[in-house]
């Protein structure tokens, strides 16, 4: 049987709620609000986010993966609005979420921010920490990492930390032994050189080593707002890492909103992953097929 997984990222859901820049006031949030009003609100469009919601729902995939940056300023005023949007898209059992740097833009109390997303980050495997969480869906395991942390203005770096990396290593090994197809999901690109300085994952080299050592079947991420496929190669391993464009980006000559579907099947001991990409057409105001390709790995 085929398991279908939808994936999108970097929603940056607008418009900003009234008073969002001033709630839990921080200078960085005010600067971000100025950037939003003069630039970013023209790029990340709520009507495209709404079209994405309808397009993903119509696809009726088995599960949805959202790799962060739901918010713009990480303001307490944004999270109830985002949660209502998520509830319209899928139930907590049907959607898995990992935080992005805009979701933790500055330090803010958990109960006023990421707590709204907790139902989408619950784990089906026992753990002494929130991350990584593991969600088991038939023969597919979704492993959610948290690479987001508050950083100074003009710095969007992420970091997992030693504890989260070691727990990931253990979960990957355990799930491999049980025969699961393992999807590792995080916000930041998972290897060195995939993001510019001040936007990269600080411990990307260590993460790449774990992913290759444990031969993860698929890694999905966002953050760069662009489509990408990289093969992580180390010690004979060949791990595909797919980045997705922003989910609400208005069409430009070089880029546009996109979301991916991964159709996962196993035949004769080999995993087959069919990747289908849907892209926003700003002239027709619809998402439409853009391209597709197949990943094949020996189990």
């Amino acid at each position: 049987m085929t398991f279908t997984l939808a994936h999108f990222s970097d929603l940056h859901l607008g418009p900003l709620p009234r008073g969002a820049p001033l709630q839990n006031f921080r200078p960085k949030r005010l600067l971000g609000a100025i950037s939003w009003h003069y630039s970013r609100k023209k790029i990340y469009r709520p009507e495209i986010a709404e079209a994405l919601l309808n397009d993903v729902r119509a696809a009726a995939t088995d599960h949805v993966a959202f790799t962060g940056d739901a918010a713009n300023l990480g303001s307490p005023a944004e999270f109830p609005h985002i949660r209502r949007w998520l509830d319209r898209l899928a139930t907590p059992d049907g959607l898995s979420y990992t935080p992005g740097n805009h979701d933790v833009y500055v330090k803010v109390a958990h109960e006023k921010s990421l707590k709204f997303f907790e139902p989408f980050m619950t784990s089906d495997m026992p753990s002494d920490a929130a991350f990584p969480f593991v969600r088991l869906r038939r023969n597919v395991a979704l492993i959610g990492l948290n690479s987001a942390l508050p950083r100074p203005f003009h710095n969007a770096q992420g970091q997992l930390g030693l504890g989260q990396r070691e727990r990931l290593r253990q979960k990957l090994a355990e799930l491999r032994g049980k025969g699961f197809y393992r999807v590792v999901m995080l916000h930041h690109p998972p290897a060195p050189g995939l993001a510019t300085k001040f936007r990269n994952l600080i411990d990307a080299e260590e993460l790449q080593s774990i992913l290759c050592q444990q031969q993860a079947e698929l890694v999905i991420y966002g953050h760069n707002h662009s489509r990408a496929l990289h093969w992580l190669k180390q010690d004979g391993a060949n791990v595909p890492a797919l980045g997705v464009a922003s989910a609400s980006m208005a069409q430009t000559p070089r880029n546009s909103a996109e979301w991916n579907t991964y159709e996962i099947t196993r035949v004769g001991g080999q995993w087959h992953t069919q990747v289908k990409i849907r892209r926003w057409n700003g002239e027709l105001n619809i998402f439409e097929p853009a391209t597709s390709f197949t990943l094949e790995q020996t189990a």
Side-chain angles (χ1 to χ4, degrees):
M1 294 180 63
T2 298
F3 183 90
T4 56
L5 176 66
H7 171 216
F8 66 90
S9 193
D10 300 88
L11 185 67
H12 296 294
L13 188 62
L16 285 181
R18 184 183 299 273
L22 301 179
Q23 276 200 7
N24 187 237
F25 178 77
R26 298 288 188 278
K28 178 183 177 182
R29 187 174 283 141
L30 180 60
L31 292 172
I34 293 171
S35 173
W36 169 262
H37 283 292
Y38 284 97
S39 175
R40 293 172 63 86
K41 73 177 183 180
K42 301 173 185 176
I43 300 172
Y44 307 104
R45 304 298 305 156
E47 65 270 20
I48 300 177
E50 185 68 13
L52 174 117
L53 183 151
N54 292 327
D55 204 48
V56 173
R57 275 201 314 201
T61 58
D62 292 306
H63 200 75
V64 179
F66 181 4
T67 51
D69 274 5
N72 295 286
L73 308 178
S75 168
E78 292 182 89
F79 292 100
H81 173 51
I82 296 167
R83 176 60 194 269
R84 289 191 293 270
W85 189 94
L86 290 174
D87 286 337
R88 291 173 55 219
L89 175 59
T91 65
D93 283 344
L95 185 148
S96 297
Y97 166 85
T98 55
N101 55 290
H102 277 263
D103 303 320
V104 294
Y105 202 61
V106 297
K107 289 183 179 180
V108 62
H110 178 77
E111 62 270 16
K112 295 181 179 180
S113 56
L114 294 184
K115 186 174 179 61
F116 284 88
F117 301 152
E118 278 186 353
F120 305 96
M121 300 186 289
T122 57
S123 185
D124 296 326
M125 295 180 70
S127 177
D128 58 356
F131 296 97
F133 64 78
V134 178
R135 312 193 91 184
L136 305 177
R137 300 295 182 267
R138 298 212 305 261
N139 60 346
V140 173
L142 294 111
I143 307 170
L145 300 174
N146 183 9
S147 62
L149 71 166
R151 302 291 288 171
F153 194 64
H154 288 313
N155 187 312
Q157 287 179 305
Q159 188 172 18
L160 299 174
L162 177 61
Q164 192 174 179
R165 296 198 310 268
E166 287 306 308
R167 290 189 295 273
L168 171 65
R169 188 195 307 274
Q170 295 165 11
K171 297 298 184 187
L172 284 170
E174 181 178 353
L175 291 163
R176 183 184 186 186
K178 294 179 179 179
F180 281 93
Y181 181 106
R182 298 155 301 164
V183 181
V184 178
M185 50 184 292
L186 74 161
H187 183 68
H188 288 79
L194 302 188
T196 58
K197 188 178 181 181
F198 303 122
R199 287 185 53 81
N200 63 319
L201 184 69
I202 294 170
D203 45 2
E205 185 173 355
E206 293 86 347
L207 174 59
Q208 177 180 241
S209 179
I210 293 169
L211 295 170
C212 289
Q213 180 191 67
Q214 299 299 328
Q215 298 181 356
E217 280 71 40
L218 180 65
V219 185
I220 57 176
Y221 65 95
H223 191 56
N224 284 345
H225 296 193
S226 60
R227 183 195 309 175
L229 168 60
H230 297 278
W231 290 89
L232 312 182
K233 300 177 183 288
Q234 187 173 310
D235 299 329
N238 208 19
V239 177
L242 281 112
V244 67
S246 164
S248 64
M249 181 180 289
Q251 186 173 5
T252 69
R254 297 183 59 186
N255 218 334
S256 188
E258 291 183 347
W259 69 275
N260 296 350
T261 300
Y262 311 115
E263 298 179 353
I264 301 163
T265 58
R266 184 169 181 167
V267 180
Q270 188 174 29
W271 291 112
H272 298 260
T273 308
Q274 179 77 14
V275 182
K276 296 181 178 179
I277 300 175
R278 291 181 65 80
R279 180 180 173 89
W280 175 251
N281 184 323
E283 295 181 359
L284 300 178
N285 291 327
I286 59 170
F287 281 90
E288 59 186 9
T291 189
S292 64
F293 51 91
T294 300
L295 308 172
E296 293 190 10
Q297 295 170 278
T298 302

